[in-house]
């Protein structure tokens, strides 16, 4: 079983603050790293799929970076808004044999943005 | 284009009963998968399929069966429900298994008493 760790587990910020959180994954046999946003009572929705070391992706106020050599990805939210409140999941896809078809999820970072 | 649909939304079973959770997608995706979500455990992969007629086990397959006779449908069968299978189940699909985002269904909340 692959180890995908997310930190912190939860985070409270004020509206307008910028914030970031971390996803750590195995640094060998990397294929892809996914980020999902999961609002309460809804389904996870994809934010980014990152495949290359040094990748940076951006969607509005949310951006992500990837370091496959050291096995981590950062998700940044600039100027947090209450509607950004959600659990942010990362998921790792390995490039080793049969596990290439499996996505291993971290337990998520729960972000609460206070107005 | 409905995306990924799941039925039922809620289900209560007694221990030992069997049932099938339905999942369908209309995006012609090759890859489909089933996850369960439990408090403090995150999403865990139960079974997945890389195309019609091809299925394989994920991280927590015991007590569940799957089949994939068509590209669109990927049902999950509970053979003899146990209280440990009380969970929220999500079906997901993606274009292929390689480096594409997954689209999730709305989930099925299952309680086994």
């Amino acid at each position: 079983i692959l180890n995908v760790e997310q930190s912190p587990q939860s985070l409270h910020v004020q509206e307008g603050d910028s914030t970031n959180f971390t996803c750590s994954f195995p640094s060998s046999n990397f294929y892809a790293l996914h980020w999902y946003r999961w609002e309460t009572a809804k389904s996870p929705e994809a934010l980014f799929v990152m495949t290359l070391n040094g990748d940076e992706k951006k969607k509005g106020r949310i951006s992500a970076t990837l370091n496959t050599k050291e096995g981590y990805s950062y998700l940044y939210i600039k100027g947090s808004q209450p509607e950004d409140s959600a659990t942010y999941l990362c998921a790792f896809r390995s490039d080793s044999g049969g596990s290439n078809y499996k996505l291993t999820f971290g337990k998520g970072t729960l972000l609460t943005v206070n107005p | 284009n409905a995306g990924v649909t799941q039925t039922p939304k809620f289900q209560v079973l007694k221990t030992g009963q069997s049932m099938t959770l339905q999942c369908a997608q209309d995006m012609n995706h090759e890859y489909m998968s089933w996850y369960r979500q439990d408090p403090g455990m995150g999403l865990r992969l139960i079974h997945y399929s890389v195309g019609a007629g091809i299925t394989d086990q994920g991280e927590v397959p015991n007590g569940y069966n799957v089949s994939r006779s068509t590209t669109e449908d990927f049902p999950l069968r509970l053979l003899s429900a146990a209280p440990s299978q009380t969970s929220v189940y999500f079906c997901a699909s993606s274009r292929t298994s390689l480096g594409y985002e997954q689209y999730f269904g709305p989930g099925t909340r299952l309680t086994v008493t």
Side-chain angles (χ1 to χ4, degrees):
Chain A
I1 296 175
L2 301 171
N3 199 28
V4 179
E5 300 282 344
Q6 289 189 248
S7 61
Q9 271 189 309
S10 63
L11 194 55
H12 289 253
V13 301
Q14 290 299 124
E15 183 174 355
D17 287 350
S18 293
T19 187
N20 66 86
F21 19 94
T22 307
C23 173
S24 300
F25 50 85
S27 57
S28 58
N29 299 315
F30 176 86
Y31 190 89
L33 193 282
H34 295 219
W35 280 101
Y36 291 84
R37 182 169 178 272
W38 194 358
E39 291 182 68
T40 302
K42 293 190 177 179
S43 309
E45 290 184 350
L47 288 170
F48 308 113
V49 177
M50 309 175 81
T51 57
L52 297 174
N53 184 42
D55 247 356
E56 290 188 30
K57 300 238 176 177
K58 188 174 180 186
K59 187 182 285 189
R61 293 179 291 98
I62 303 177
S63 60
T65 61
L66 179 68
N67 184 325
T68 63
K69 306 294 183 192
E70 296 182 42
Y72 65 84
S73 175
Y74 293 137
L75 190 80
Y76 300 92
I77 301 178
K78 187 177 175 183
S80 303
Q81 299 297 308
E83 57 265 30
D84 295 328
S85 297
T87 296
Y88 291 83
L89 297 171
C90 70
F92 171 76
R93 182 154 282 166
S94 167
D95 187 19
S96 61
S99 64
N100 193 18
Y101 301 109
K102 300 176 187 176
L103 203 58
T104 302
F105 281 83
K107 293 179 183 178
T109 292
L110 174 61
L111 174 67
T112 304
V113 183
N114 299 312
Chain B
N1 189 340
V4 180
T5 58
Q6 289 183 238
T7 56
K9 282 190 167 44
F10 302 94
Q11 183 70 49
V12 179
L13 290 179
K14 293 188 187 310
T15 298
Q17 287 185 315
S18 62
M19 80 158 295
T20 300
L21 308 186
Q22 301 292 345
C23 174
Q25 52 88 12
D26 61 0
M27 297 174 281
N28 202 31
H29 284 172
E30 293 178 16
Y31 184 85
M32 296 185 75
S33 53
W34 277 102
Y35 295 89
R36 58 178 291 173
Q37 187 246 331
D38 303 293
M41 298 297 291
L43 286 169
R44 292 184 293 168
L45 182 65
I46 304 171
H47 284 285
Y48 66 95
S49 168
V50 298
I54 307 170
T55 64
D56 205 346
Q57 297 181 351
E59 187 185 343
V60 288
N62 292 341
Y64 308 96
N65 272 359
V66 292
S67 60
R68 182 102 178 266
S69 55
T70 67
T71 299
E72 294 78 21
D73 300 298
F74 190 44
L76 179 73
R77 279 182 288 279
L78 281 71
L79 306 174
S80 177
S84 60
Q85 293 178 304
T86 294
S87 188
V88 181
Y89 292 84
F90 288 96
C91 177
S93 74
S94 64
R95 200 187 310 178
T96 70
S97 59
L98 306 175
Y100 289 95
E101 61 188 2
Q102 290 201 104
Y103 293 82
F104 284 83
T108 294
R109 183 174 293 274
L110 175 68
T111 303
V112 183
T113 61

